[in-house]
Amino acid sequence: MSDVPPDALRRVRVAVEAPQHSGLTGPLDYLGPQDLTPGTLVHVTLGRRDVMGLVWDDLPEGQDVPGEDRLPESELRPVGEALDALPPLSDRWRRLLDFAANYYQRSVGELALAVLPPQLRELDAKQLQARLKKLDKADAAAGKAAADAASPILPERPALSAQQQAALDAIDALAATEAPQPALLWGLTGSGKTEIYLRAAEAALARGQQVLVLVPEINLTPQLEARFAERFVGHSIVSLHSALTPAQRLRHWLAAHLGRAQLVLGTRLAVFASLPRLGLIVVDEEHDPSYKQQDGARYSARDLAVYRGHLERVPVVLGSATPSLESWQHALGGRYRRIDLTERIGGGALPRVRLFDMNRLERKKGVTTALSVPLLDALRKRLDRGEQSLVFLNRRGYAPVLHCDQCNWKSDCPHCSAHQVFHREDRTLRCHHCGVSTRVPRACPSCGNPDIAPLGRGTERLEEQLAAALPGARVARIDADTTRLKGSLESQLAAVHDGDVDILVGTQMVAKGHDFRRITLVAAVNPDGALFSSDFRAPERLFSLLMQAGGRAGRDAAQAAASEMWIQTWYPEHALYQSLQKHDYEAFAASQLAERMSAGLPPFAHLALVRAEGRSVEAARDFLTAAQEAAQALPLSLGLLLYPPVPMSIARVADVERFQMLIEAGSRAQLQRFLRAWLPDLHVLKRRQKGLTRWAVDVDPLAI
């Protein structure tokens, strides 16, 4: 900057990651060269720190930032070194970030810098040049190896069914329009949605475009990556997710940004990948709650994917067997184009759903409610025929709690309002909220009774009971505890695919996305808890999870007719189970939407949650009480429902007290206008409330 004459300088807006709750939401003004292009990464001074910033768009002529006094140019700090070896981030990318920051009520600098690779933010211009040269060499070597190799044998593409061809034709027709409508691909489990993604990607690549494919969880990324790598031999494919090392993440991001990666597969963060030739966005399992970020900027990757498709004028394909009720309502209203796949590949039948009434069990000691005699008989029959079974329980550990029947002591977490879960494998009590772990006591810490016993069951205990009840059966368990080590999930899934497992016990990790060809029986042993949850979305999540779990059975058309799903329930007449038994998502969605409409809940209303955390109950509650009073004083709060502050369902985590306050509005625009006017008051209240550790706004919350 020192060699730039003063008359060649101008006011430049730079997005920087300002301190949280500083109240700074937009880019800051600096002094930079006239030719500094928006989208360029630069080093700037913020306070006493040297930080990475991103040159943002100039304000339209004569327009100032509302509520901000702009410093005269003589008082502005100069922009430091520019990383101009990297092509600027595009105008459409910046518009996506602007929208996300405004909608989710975050600073644009915080969000823009958070979605860039961490290693990129640490580089200077010289280091970046070295990284780019290294990438050039690697690409040249890969290109030479590909040229020297024999022509690859391209895999034979499976023939499309009539429904698949119609679905693909509909997506191609959308791609040919000037402003493509989002497509909701509603397809049964096993109906061939992935083949549609592959063919649509093929068409986009043939047009010279890039493709972005989003999956809900990391464990599904390698599986999908393998499918795409097998189909697109010779194409550059990269993944973007949190399990990558910082160096891998930077390398993959650069490949996408420079246009060298033709296919980008990733989890929710990948929705912000810089793709200069984007031609198609696919969101697999679009209903999955994992697409919603739960800390920092609480964005929904699915919703941002739809907005990005609108900005870039490219088709967005949202795929699911059980679409979110929001997407389903958009399809009913004509905002999304609905494309149906109602037949399984090969004409296979969906598994027969059997509701086993637990009330028929004998009520006496020794009768287990996890593994009923009829279910064990069904598992034995599968064993005798050499088929595989999946037993699904969405709770890890051995038992949710240890209990003393003398004094009623329970293994409560000392730091959270939750129980410590008993893990028998390593004899520990572990809190699944704060992570604290202690050894199992030899006797009750309260009364000294040596006979403390586990209550309830998790996957670890279920695995043990199955091994005892079915001697000789090869029982395996897949959950967050058994897959902590790198590569362990892949090896366990390979054992299932190779037929080395007879009965697989698992949580939701194995209930979706996996193509297990030998499984003919799926059993859900304890699903009733979600029927009576205080969260209005719980039935939707349960129905989706059970449909997904059931879809793991009978994926081989030859065995489909004999496939079954067992649900052990105390409430077999419940409407949710009745719809599930008929595989009738439409009936379930219609009943849920009717309930939501009568109760004024999404998608017929729009919500925001303000969460507060403090060192004491009073600090968190008083902040939200004052926030509610400030909200009621605003004219824009008229017509909104402002619910009083209440403790969160887990009120204390890691010795931090947590409260929340719900705001309900009839329209999205009304809610956004109110939040923009109200947030400055919250920043002021935070500075006054000493015991408050942090607060956050969650727009369109998934968990209440």
Side-chain angles (χ1 to χ4, degrees), residues 99-168:
F99 170 81
N102 287 329
Y103 186 81
Y104 294 106
Q105 305 296 325
R106 305 297 290 200
S107 149
V108 70
E110 174 204 7
L111 187 58
L113 275 297
V115 302
L116 293 176
Q119 231 178 44
L120 181 63
R121 305 200 298 265
E122 298 162 6
L123 300 179
D124 59 28
K126 191 175 178 181
Q127 290 168 326
L128 177 62
Q129 286 273 22
R131 291 298 176 96
L132 291 172
K133 278 184 184 175
K134 196 174 174 182
L135 192 65
D136 290 342
K137 281 182 185 175
D139 287 348
K144 187 176 184 304
D148 293 343
S151 296
I153 300 170
L154 298 176
E156 192 177 330
R157 298 188 306 174
L160 295 180
S161 68
Q163 276 199 340
Q164 283 180 307
Q165 187 60 58
L168 193 61

Side-chain angles (χ1 to χ4, degrees), residues 319-386:
S320 178
T322 53
S324 64
L325 290 178
E326 285 81 1
S327 295
W328 188 254
Q329 180 62 23
H330 286 325
L332 291 176
R335 186 175 164 191
Y336 292 177
R337 166 74 189 275
R338 196 176 106 191
I339 302 170
D340 297 353
L341 292 175
T342 58
E343 300 165 0
R344 280 187 139 185
I345 294 298
L350 285 164
R352 177 187 170 204
V353 177
R354 297 185 58 168
L355 303 175
F356 181 78
D357 187 355
M358 299 296 283
N359 297 291
R360 288 163 46 194
L361 286 178
E362 223 177 333
R363 306 284 178 97
K364 67 178 185 182
K365 194 170 182 180
V367 174
T368 173
T369 56
L371 298 168
S372 60
V373 172
L375 175 57
L376 285 171
D377 288 342
L379 290 167
R380 276 192 200 95
K381 286 175 185 172
R382 259 61 187 185
L383 277 171
D384 293 342
R385 296 204 295 261

Side-chain angles (χ1 to χ4, degrees), residues 49-50 73 104 158 195 328 419 593 627:
R49 297 179 298 136
D50 178 60
E73 288 191 4
Y104 294 106
E195 184 60 31
W328 188 254
H419 299 308
L593 286 171

Side-chain angles (χ1 to χ4, degrees), residues 103 606 636 640 665-676:
Y103 186 81
H606 302 276
L636 285 168
L640 299 181
S667 81
R668 186 173 272 120
Q670 179 190 22
L671 181 61
Q672 288 289 320
R673 285 194 298 270
F674 164 74
L675 290 174
R676 273 193 286 276

Side-chain angles (χ1 to χ4, degrees), residues 169-183:
D169 290 344
I171 293 168
D172 288 343
L174 288 173
T177 61
E178 192 176 329
Q181 193 179 17

Side-chain angles (χ1 to χ4, degrees), residues 469-485:
L470 301 166
R474 296 169 297 175
V475 183
R477 170 168 54 96
I478 294 182
D479 57 27
D481 296 318
T482 64
T483 55
R484 279 200 295 259
L485 299 176

